[in-house]
Amino acid sequence: MSGASTHKTHAHPLRVVRSFLDAAMSDDGGRPSQAAGSPDSQHDSKRFLDPPLDSSKPSKLSRSITEGEAGAEEAKDRVEEGREIMSQNSRIQRYLVAVEYIGTRFSGSQKQPTCRTVVGVLEEAFHKFVGQPVSIFCSSRTDAGVHALSNVCHVDVERISKRKPGEVLPPHEPGVVRRAVNHFLQKNEGDIMVIDVRCVPANFHARFKALERTYHYRILYGPEPLSTFDKERAWHVSEELDIPAMKKACSILVGCHDFSSFRAAGCQANSPIRTLDELNVTEVFPSLYFPSISERTEMESLNGHHSNTSELESFTECSNVSHMSVGKCNAETGQEFGQRSRHRCYVITARARSFLYHQVRLMVGALKSVGTGDLTFSDVERILNAKTITAASPMAPACGLYLGNVKYDFHEFS
């Protein structure tokens, strides 16, 4: 719905503000939105029928608005305008909700009419909890197959008595919301969970208030196939990686740059300029790590045969993973029959206020190519300066990408 439309005399305040918020939302990565007239756009138009109070202003903004750019400031103004309407209805409580999920069985985070999505599943669980439909707004949109250690969204809930319909009750405590929604989520596939909930003011927007986003990309190196437990949880690379070369290449990309070469075709962000605050490669212990008998003996000898947690953590942090027989065959390590060799695990971390569509996966693809020797340090610099996606290396698969954290400043509301 674009432009002004004939507005109703008595538009419901909550529906009006939802229209404002929907107008302000755009993909964190500048992802292409559904075309006008598509099932999604028709669905949205049915949900948000009421126009803004001032019919001289458009009821929706372009989907190309992206956070951190000039268009976002205009969007924030409209959110503030909508907030004034919402503030008149003090019965509504806005909750900030952090969720973790395995992206394998989700068709991305954003709601789609015929696919299972993170927002769709969350809205269904909240509906069962509060007894009425709600709208979920995510801080960051993830693609199909991408996981989240902590994605954040907000939702407005009006607590109405189920015994006496029409009677408005005080808002639920955050802990009650977390337990109740998780109860319904676990009756689903069990691949998503609410990990934290807090009450926030009506003008706190999960997307626009985000100060920083951190993504992690997990790579497992080793000649053998991935363990069943690691499938679709990491990118398996069978070639040995030159980690120092990858770290050197990271330094080229850190800072404020035109990331057009790391911007997927169809990205609708107004500008390709982004500031990358951090990009590094770290070798870590593989997940589901269970020490072998020799490793247990070594740990116990360091701890004096006592379970000293602090010393054990120190040992874990200081030990070189490669010395723990990771990625070597059984004959070399003397492993018993039935024990599989471990892969070496590398995590690439990218941190910034916002990212372009597929920027992280494109950067990881380039870094992996540097690690295998297909690209050099100079090649990465050349790709960055080319400012065209055609110069980029193949993009890393979605299975290894994790949204790790979304940072906010809560002090302004304390």
Side-chain angles (χ1 to χ4, degrees), residues 341-385:
S341 60
R342 303 189 187 104
H343 292 80
R344 297 180 70 165
C345 183
Y346 303 100
V347 172
I348 298 175
T349 299
R351 179 169 54 86
R353 184 178 181 90
S354 63
F355 294 86
L356 299 169
Y357 182 38
H358 284 167
Q359 180 183 346
V360 176
R361 289 169 60 187
L362 285 164
M363 292 191 301
V364 171
L367 293 177
K368 180 263 184 184
S369 295
V370 170
T372 56
D374 295 321
L375 291 179
T376 65
F377 175 89
S378 299
D379 288 330
V380 176
E381 192 169 23
R382 172 183 54 79
I383 292 172
L384 178 64
N385 294 333

Side-chain angles (χ1 to χ4, degrees), residues 208-336:
F208 295 130
K209 290 293 183 179
L211 301 178
E212 185 178 86
R213 294 167 174 85
T214 301
Y215 283 89
H216 302 292
Y217 196 96
R218 188 165 174 256
I219 295 176
L220 291 178
Y221 155 69
E224 294 188 356
L226 288 186
S227 161
T228 302
F229 300 103
D230 285 317
K231 286 183 178 179
E232 299 182 318
R233 305 288 192 278
W235 185 9
H236 179 214
V237 177
S238 57
E239 305 165 85
E240 189 168 358
L241 297 173
D242 184 344
I243 301 303
M246 294 173 66
K247 290 183 176 181
K248 185 178 180 182
C250 286
S251 64
I252 298 175
L253 301 174
V254 172
C256 184
H257 303 287
D258 181 332
F259 282 100
S260 293
S261 296
F262 299 94
R263 176 187 192 181
C267 177
Q268 294 184 351
N270 288 344
S271 170
I273 306 297
R274 289 293 184 273
T275 299
L276 189 60
D277 297 311
E278 178 185 359
L279 184 65
N280 63 50
V281 186
T282 307
E283 184 170 6
V284 301
F285 277 93
S287 63
L288 291 177
Y289 176 82
F290 303 101
S292 66
I293 185 170
S294 61
E295 291 163 355
R296 293 197 302 272
T297 302
E298 185 177 358
M299 292 176 184
E300 289 173 359
S301 65
L302 289 176
N303 295 328
H305 298 281
H306 296 293
S307 298
N308 188 313
T309 303
S310 61
E311 290 182 7
L312 182 59
E313 289 176 349
S314 176
F315 170 80
T316 302
E317 292 173 357
C318 297
S319 296
N320 186 331
V321 181
S322 62
H323 292 166
M324 305 295 280
S325 70
V326 177
K328 297 181 180 180
C329 66
N330 290 0
E332 293 178 19
T333 62
Q335 291 177 343
E336 296 180 5

Side-chain angles (χ1 to χ4, degrees), residues 55-347:
S55 60
S56 65
K57 296 182 179 181
S59 59
K60 272 206 170 187
L61 299 176
S62 169
R63 289 284 181 177
S64 64
I65 293 175
T66 54
E67 186 255 348
E69 300 172 359
E73 295 301 322
E74 183 180 353
K76 290 179 183 179
D77 291 340
R78 295 194 178 279
V79 172
E80 288 297 317
E81 191 174 345
R83 182 188 62 80
E84 294 175 3
I85 301 171
M86 176 179 284
S87 64
Q88 299 172 11
N89 191 347
S90 59
R91 302 177 303 177
I92 298 173
Q93 175 62 60
R94 176 162 292 186
Y95 295 98
L96 201 63
V97 181
V99 293
E100 64 179 12
Y101 50 86
I102 298 171
T104 307
R105 293 189 293 272
F106 289 104
S107 297
S109 59
Q110 288 308 102
K111 190 171 182 180
Q112 301 177 40
T114 59
C115 300
R116 185 172 184 264
T117 67
V118 173
V119 167
V121 169
L122 280 174
E123 288 186 351
E124 181 182 353
F126 266 94
H127 189 174
K128 291 178 179 178
F129 168 44
V130 302
Q132 55 186 332
V134 300
S135 294
I136 301 284
F137 297 92
C138 275
S139 67
S140 308
R141 300 182 181 183
T142 55
D143 289 328
V146 175
H147 318 291
L149 305 177
S150 179
N151 197 350
V152 181
C153 56
H154 75 252
V155 58
D156 296 320
V157 174
E158 183 180 33
R159 184 184 176 191
I160 299 176
S161 174
K162 294 180 179 179
R163 295 182 177 180
K164 299 179 180 179
E167 179 183 355
V168 179
L169 304 175
H172 291 287
E173 290 297 319
V176 173
V177 175
R178 180 176 59 82
R179 290 190 295 271
V181 174
N182 278 335
H183 169 75
F184 293 108
L185 289 176
Q186 297 313 303
K187 287 188 174 182
N188 205 293
E189 297 289 338
D191 49 7
I192 179 172
M193 178 179 289
V194 173
I195 58 176
D196 207 355
V197 179
R198 72 181 296 163
C199 296
V200 292
N203 67 332
F204 195 103
H205 198 285
R207 179 179 177 77
F208 295 130
K209 290 293 183 179
L211 301 178
E212 185 178 86
R213 294 167 174 85
T214 301
Y215 283 89
H216 302 292
Y217 196 96
R218 188 165 174 256
I219 295 176
L220 291 178
Y221 155 69
E224 294 188 356
L226 288 186
S227 161
T228 302
F229 300 103
D230 285 317
K231 286 183 178 179
E232 299 182 318
R233 305 288 192 278
W235 185 9
H236 179 214
V237 177
S238 57
E239 305 165 85
E240 189 168 358
L241 297 173
D242 184 344
I243 301 303
M246 294 173 66
K247 290 183 176 181
K248 185 178 180 182
C250 286
S251 64
I252 298 175
L253 301 174
V254 172
C256 184
H257 303 287
D258 181 332
F259 282 100
S260 293
S261 296
F262 299 94
R263 176 187 192 181
C267 177
Q268 294 184 351
N270 288 344
S271 170
I273 306 297
R274 289 293 184 273
T275 299
L276 189 60
D277 297 311
E278 178 185 359
L279 184 65
N280 63 50
V281 186
T282 307
E283 184 170 6
V284 301
F285 277 93
S287 63
L288 291 177
Y289 176 82
F290 303 101
S292 66
I293 185 170
S294 61
E295 291 163 355
R296 293 197 302 272
T297 302
E298 185 177 358
M299 292 176 184
E300 289 173 359
S301 65
L302 289 176
N303 295 328
H305 298 281
H306 296 293
S307 298
N308 188 313
T309 303
S310 61
E311 290 182 7
L312 182 59
E313 289 176 349
S314 176
F315 170 80
T316 302
E317 292 173 357
C318 297
S319 296
N320 186 331
V321 181
S322 62
H323 292 166
M324 305 295 280
S325 70
V326 177
K328 297 181 180 180
C329 66
N330 290 0
E332 293 178 19
T333 62
Q335 291 177 343
E336 296 180 5
F337 175 77
Q339 289 184 328
R340 65 176 298 140
S341 60
R342 303 189 187 104
H343 292 80
R344 297 180 70 165
C345 183
Y346 303 100
V347 172

